[in-house]
Amino acid sequence: MVGNMTASPAEKLSPVKAERLTAVKGMNDILPPDSARWEWLEGKVRHLMQRHAYRNIRTPILEHTQLFVRGIGEVTDIVEKEMYSFEDRADKHGDHDHLTMRPENTASVVRAVTEHNLLYDGGKRLYYMGPMFRRERPQRGRYRQFHQIGAEALGFAGSEVDAELILLAAALWTELGLTDWRLEINSLGQPDERARHRAQLVAHFEQHADSLDEEARRRLHSNPLRILDTKNPAMEAVIESAPRLIDFLGTDSLAHFDSLTAILDANGIPWTLNHRLVRGLDYYNLTVFEFVTDRLGAQGTICAGGRYDYLIEQMGGKAAPAVGWALGVERVLELIREQGDSISFPTLNAYAVIPQRSALPMVTKALQALRAAGVSVQMHAGASAEDLGSMKSQFRKADNSGAEFALIFGATELAQGCVAVKSLRGEKAGGRQVQTLQPLSDVAAWAHTLRGPVLPDAA
Ligand code: ATP
Ligand code: MG
């Protein structure tokens, strides 16, 4: 189409009409106004973590595939079928890296902590937020790119830190106004206790081999504990009658469990013992827990975690105990929505109405001064380069913007070194909205009169 006088600029660039592109299946755009809920949640989390002395860690999204194979365990849903892995381009020696987009963040945190020797002077409390990637079947509450917020305490062996993390999560639900959750706990004991349980569990499943589905039969000898985690209702009876881990725990493991639940009880956190709770990842011991809700259908787990005292050593670090959890941001936000949220999001304080383009240099200067003083201001901008639009259409936009005030930079006001401030929401005086004149020479002196609800990050 080159040479065609009527072609649009885009058509001049490409000879065929561009096909419309879409996002990858199971991966969502987070758009305004919904993105404000994400910022609100993240703001709450940041402040809460700070108050609990957890500090932020940010690790890369891409890691060596081996990190997750070793960290999560070969015989898990994630490693068997959910990872986005690829071979990187060859370097100059012809060597390829096998890389994976992180499906979870604990393995990465452990790698980073080990690589940078973060535990050299004692335990560390860390938190993260960010996207994770799993190639699952997309459905409500289950996506291929989803987001987790996680907290990890590394280098502490006592159950008081398990309790601290659970209390932290419970405090977050309170901050977010969530009431519809319950806490389920189990103890996976220590490896030797688990080995004894495992032998009996395998014997039990072998006796009832005809009740097992194909996946369970495949896992019977590689990872029988994971069979307890099945979502297949047909296996209900065989699972219910299986030997229970708690019956295989020794004195120390039981003491760990009891001292944890004593702290939870003292803090008024209700919990139930769920014998079938084993978690999808292989690396846990002692405490495992999930916060569950009935309001999100099948995807009811909003937060899950546990102790992983052997993972750091297994990943090549110096042996150190650890415990942590991760919550699913999409599910938490969905639950907030389910409960009928009453979140008050920050509104726009002011909308600048600009009759003449010639005023723009002065207007922009005044707006920057207002913004520096903490006011949120939207500048009117026209769709065409020549015309800013009529006063009528600018006022309509000011109204629709949700702003509390219109700032009118008319020629008369500017000639007096002023801007007219008109209330768009408040009481009308004699049928007209209240309007005042304010000096541009001293914006800071009256900026506070425009400031409304505090922005999330300043909270
Ligand atoms: P599930 O049994 O629901 O698959 P999981 O055991 O695989 O969960 P974890 O690896 O423990 O989940 O992740 C912690 C939390 O992250 C989950 O409780 C959930 O809230 C969230 N989560 C996990 N996978 C997804 C996903 N594909 N989409 C959205 N959220 C997810
Ligand atoms: Mg899963």
Side-chain angles (χ1 to χ4, degrees), residues 205-221:
F205 285 138
E206 278 172 340
Q207 267 168 32
H208 300 90
D210 46 338
S211 323
L212 301 183
D213 62 14
E214 195 196 318
E215 188 176 74
R217 252 177 257 138
R218 193 162 48 81
R219 285 185 170 162
L220 184 53
H221 296 282

Side-chain angles (χ1 to χ4, degrees), residues 19 39 58 73 95 104 115 120 143 151 163 169 187 203 214 245 252 310 316 327 336 352 357 363 394 413:
E19 192 186 321
E39 290 189 308
R58 303 177 189 214
D95 295 331
E104 57 99 48
E115 188 169 338
Y120 78 101
Y143 309 100
S187 176
E214 195 196 318
L245 251 167
D252 290 350
Y310 305 100
L327 66 81
I336 292 172
R357 297 189 70 82
V363 171
Q394 291 199 31
E413 288 90 1

Side-chain angles (χ1 to χ4, degrees), residues 242-457:
R244 297 176 158 185
L245 251 167
I246 201 106
D247 299 327
F248 292 78
L249 300 189
T251 333
D252 290 350
S253 295
L254 281 175
H256 190 98
F257 184 80
D258 290 342
S259 52
L260 164 62
T261 54
I263 296 178
L264 297 180
D265 290 342
N267 281 274
I269 306 290
W271 56 273
T272 53
L273 176 59
N274 177 354
H275 298 286
R276 294 166 56 167
L277 186 61
V278 293
R279 307 286 312 110
L281 315 175
D282 267 357
Y283 47 59
Y284 292 105
N285 70 304
L286 291 174
T287 315
V288 287
F289 59 89
E290 289 191 356
F291 287 91
V292 190
T293 178
D294 292 325
R295 297 185 69 148
L296 296 178
Q299 272 59 250
T301 304
I302 52 172
C303 175
R307 193 160 262 290
Y308 49 95
D309 292 337
Y310 305 100
L311 183 65
I312 300 177
E313 190 175 22
Q314 184 186 314
M315 306 284 287
K318 187 162 166 279
V323 51
W325 54 246
L327 66 81
V329 178
E330 284 82 357
R331 292 187 195 177
V332 168
L333 286 173
E334 180 72 11
L335 184 57
I336 292 172
R337 213 172 286 130
E338 268 297 307
Q339 290 198 347
D341 67 48
S342 53
I343 306 168
S344 63
F345 291 110
T347 49
L348 191 60
N349 297 138
Y351 188 100
V353 171
I354 312 159
Q356 306 290 334
R357 297 189 70 82
S358 57
L360 281 166
M362 274 172 89
V363 171
T364 47
K365 210 173 147 211
L367 298 190
Q368 289 310 92
L370 282 169
R371 289 162 177 157
V375 178
S376 67
V377 196
Q378 181 171 331
M379 177 181 77
H380 177 79
S384 98
E386 294 80 37
D387 186 11
L388 286 170
S390 69
M391 287 290 274
K392 191 170 165 212
S393 80
Q394 291 199 31
F395 268 108
R396 195 167 49 238
K397 294 212 163 100
D399 251 330
N400 293 341
S401 74
E404 295 286 324
F405 297 95
L407 305 174
I408 308 151
F409 291 90
T412 356
E413 288 90 1
L414 289 178
Q416 301 170 61
C418 289
V419 58
V421 178
K422 184 176 175 180
S423 158
L424 294 173
R425 317 278 151 202
E427 287 295 302
K428 290 187 180 182
R432 289 179 63 86
Q433 298 284 23
V434 183
Q435 187 166 320
T436 58
L437 266 189
Q438 298 289 5
L440 292 176
S441 54
D442 193 10
V443 164
W446 52 273
H448 68 275
T449 62
L450 304 181
R451 272 206 307 262
V454 197
L455 296 171
D457 265 340

